[in-house]
Amino acid sequence: MVPLAQGLAAESTILRRVGRKPPDEEEQNEATFRRLETLGYRVGQGLVERFSRDRPRFIDTLDAIKFLCKDMWTIVFRKQIDNLKTNHRGVYVLTDNAFRPFARMSMSSRTEAILGAQSFLWFPGGFIRGALASMGINATVQAETSELPGATFQIKIVTERD
């Protein structure tokens, strides 16, 4: 993960863990998460533009998602997505059972670990959204974790209404 994004996510987790409440903690967290997501979006756009330059244009959304899971995820996280599921109606679920930013994360309790891990999901969520936007696909991304070190990303393709 990009060092700046990792630092922002870690800073947010540390503030929450030590119980320090800076002024307007909720606003500060939202600003940090927005910044992480925007950073991921820009990285996703840039990498797709660079690494899909010599490829033919993607015919359908599934091909673009497969490119994201195999090639782009390997560039950023040094491994492929473990599982890709779709309902063939514009919803895709990407599962990474050993998400690298969570690999060395440990907390005193499982609940604390999952809460601390949530801030590390904003960058990859933005990365997915930016990569898809660069390929001409407008989507929303929801990232969650229920068991460390796994992460699940749900992608919903936004269709334009006439």
Side-chain angles (χ1 to χ4, degrees):
M1 190 158 51
V2 176
L4 175 63
Q6 200 166 15
L8 285 170
E11 179 182 310
S12 172
T13 304
I14 289 169
L15 284 176
R16 193 176 311 111
R17 193 176 332 145
V18 296
R20 277 191 10 214
K21 295 190 182 216
D24 299 321
E25 179 183 2
E26 194 66 35
E27 288 178 17
Q28 184 177 356
N29 282 344
E30 284 297 317
T32 301
F33 296 153
R34 194 174 319 111
R35 191 169 165 199
L36 282 168
E37 204 266 344
T38 303
L39 184 65
Y41 186 88
R42 292 182 63 206
V43 169
Q45 277 185 320
L47 287 177
V48 165
E49 287 175 9
R50 181 174 180 191
F51 289 102
S52 67
R53 180 178 12 203
D54 299 330
R55 300 177 136 245
R57 192 135 175 93
F58 296 105
I59 297 169
D60 65 348
T61 306
L62 185 59
D63 288 337
I65 300 280
K66 286 180 182 178
F67 172 72
L68 175 71
C69 292
K70 292 179 181 179
D71 298 334
M72 298 311 299
W73 207 258
T74 303
I75 291 167
V76 177
F77 298 108
R78 296 187 184 128
K79 67 179 289 293
Q80 292 183 2
I81 285 285
D82 295 318
N83 196 355
L84 166 63
K85 293 180 183 178
T86 181
N87 67 355
H88 298 288
R89 292 188 202 120
V91 177
Y92 300 88
V93 178
L94 284 56
T95 306
D96 192 340
N97 296 324
F99 189 52
R100 289 184 63 90
F102 295 164
R104 296 183 182 187
M105 184 176 284
S106 68
M107 303 276 181
S108 59
S109 71
R110 181 178 182 272
T111 307
E112 184 182 333
I114 290 173
L115 286 174
Q118 292 299 325
S119 59
F120 285 83
L121 293 172
W122 286 93
F123 177 83
F127 170 77
I128 292 169
R129 218 171 52 81
L132 292 174
S134 186
M135 292 184 270
I137 301 168
N138 190 12
T140 60
V141 178
Q142 278 185 300
E144 62 183 29
T145 183
S146 57
E147 187 72 31
L148 292 180
T152 304
F153 302 92
Q154 183 179 26
I155 303 169
K156 291 182 182 176
I157 305 302
V158 177
T159 57
E160 295 179 21
R161 307 221 170 162
D162 295 327

